Amino acid sequence: MATSAAIVQGWAGRLHRLRLNLPLGIGLAVLVVMLLSALAAPLLAPAAPTAVDLTAVRLPPSAAHWFGTDAVGRDVLSRVLYGGRVSLFVAGVGMIGSLTLGTVMGMLGAFGNRFVRTAVDRVIDVQLAFPYVLLAIAITSAVRPSIPVLILLMVLAAWAGAARIVRAIALQESAKDYVKAADVLGASQLRIAMLHVFPSVLPSLLVLAAMQMAAMIVFEATLSFLGMGVQPPTPSWGGIMLDGKNYITSSWWLTSLPGLAIVVTSLSLVLIGDGMQARTDALRAREGDQ
């Protein structure tokens, strides 16, 4: 219990010092708006996302349809709101899964025995060398594209990069005097990893989480636009853009407005990552001066 309390206290101390700055505040505000809009889609959407109205085909944005309608008369605003639920959920779960797997593998690569370290390094190298798009094509050719398959693709695409970053930071921290002192005093490798090293990894992991989520929103949109992601009639931002790709010149709103939602959300996450990185760098600089 004491060890667990010390671990939590160490992590909390690191997070408490990551105070808000301007990019972080703006990014969080925009992201909260996007998340609340997606969660409140049943209240905000003027129509069901799959409701077809063949008398209102490809209408431009107006007071009746703020984002216009698509090729079968579906309200684009409703589809963007509901599509945000799918896109953000898929990207969020994919990010959590990739960071969890990447963190475990990275810590094993830093604190495992020689065989484990070598095995982790080789698996990371193989994964980083494998083209993501070919991996997606191979998996979606073998099984029907679905949300679980899309999440799996995101985890496979991103865990290796996270593992390499976690491993590098963990190795850097493990070479410091306080970690060596804990080892001399007889602390186990698990205690050293969780109590002494992981709190130093956590701030960088939070920065990576924001950046990876931004990348995964784009990744989901790309796969859905290529027909390998979320399948109709379930709306997603990439799927909405796919529906409008044949009308880019005549009905600009079909692709540009869901694309704008992707850009705004991704930009907010990048701002969050930049803000947290600035705070992390300042924190490390202060610790280095002490």
Side-chain angles (χ1 to χ4, degrees), residues 65-289:
H65 301 281
W66 288 8
F67 281 18
T69 61
D70 65 8
V72 293
R74 293 174 298 192
D75 185 79
V76 176
L77 175 59
S78 300
R79 292 181 61 75
V80 168
L81 290 172
Y82 276 93
R85 305 180 103 190
V86 176
S87 295
L88 292 172
F89 171 78
V90 169
V93 175
M95 176 269 292
I96 293 171
S98 66
L99 286 186
T100 301
L101 179 58
T103 300
V104 171
M105 296 295 285
M107 296 299 280
L108 285 175
F111 291 96
N113 58 38
R114 181 178 299 178
F115 173 78
V116 171
R117 293 184 183 187
T118 302
V120 169
D121 286 345
R122 297 295 78 79
V123 172
I124 291 175
D125 290 341
V126 170
Q127 181 62 40
L128 290 175
F130 204 93
Y132 299 155
V133 175
L134 291 181
L135 178 65
I137 292 174
I139 292 179
T140 54
S141 297
V143 297
R144 184 178 182 276
S146 62
I147 289 179
V149 171
L150 184 56
I151 292 172
L152 174 63
L153 288 174
M154 290 183 170
V155 173
L156 293 177
W159 77 265
R164 176 162 287 185
I165 292 173
V166 169
R167 179 181 177 274
I169 298 174
L171 287 175
Q172 183 180 21
E173 289 295 319
S174 64
K176 293 184 177 179
D177 292 339
Y178 73 93
V179 177
K180 293 179 180 179
D183 187 31
V184 170
L185 292 173
S188 66
Q189 289 294 298
L190 178 61
R191 180 183 175 86
I192 291 174
M194 298 302 293
L195 181 59
H196 299 289
V197 174
F198 189 72
S200 298
V201 175
L202 186 57
S204 296
L205 204 59
L206 294 175
V207 175
L208 183 61
M211 296 299 185
Q212 275 203 358
M213 178 127 181
M216 286 188 173
I217 288 173
V218 176
F219 188 47
E220 180 279 324
T222 301
L223 291 180
S224 295
F225 187 78
L226 295 174
M228 296 184 291
V230 179
Q231 299 298 296
T234 303
S236 71
W237 288 337
I240 299 169
M241 295 179 69
L242 174 63
D243 292 338
K245 71 180 179 64
N246 294 326
Y247 310 102
I248 291 178
T249 56
S250 60
S251 303
W252 56 268
W253 58 90
L254 297 181
T255 52
S256 61
L257 294 179
L260 181 63
I262 295 171
V263 170
V264 169
T265 306
S266 299
L267 181 59
S268 71
L269 288 162
V270 170
L271 288 173
I272 291 171
D274 287 344
M276 288 193 296
Q277 184 64 59
R279 294 301 304 168
T280 299
D281 292 343
L283 175 61
R284 287 175 177 167
R286 287 198 301 269
E287 290 178 346
D289 294 337

Side-chain angles (χ1 to χ4, degrees), residues 17-93:
R17 284 177 281 181
L18 290 177
R19 297 184 180 90
L20 288 178
N21 52 29
L22 183 60
L24 182 56
I26 293 174
L28 284 173
V30 174
L31 181 61
V32 167
V33 170
M34 299 302 291
L35 288 172
L36 291 179
S37 298
L39 292 173
L43 300 176
L44 299 177
T50 56
V52 174
D53 184 2
L54 296 179
T55 64
V57 172
R58 289 167 55 198
L59 295 178
S62 63
H65 301 281
W66 288 8
F67 281 18
T69 61
D70 65 8
V72 293
R74 293 174 298 192
D75 185 79
V76 176
L77 175 59
S78 300
R79 292 181 61 75
V80 168
L81 290 172
Y82 276 93
R85 305 180 103 190
V86 176
S87 295
L88 292 172
F89 171 78
V90 169
V93 175

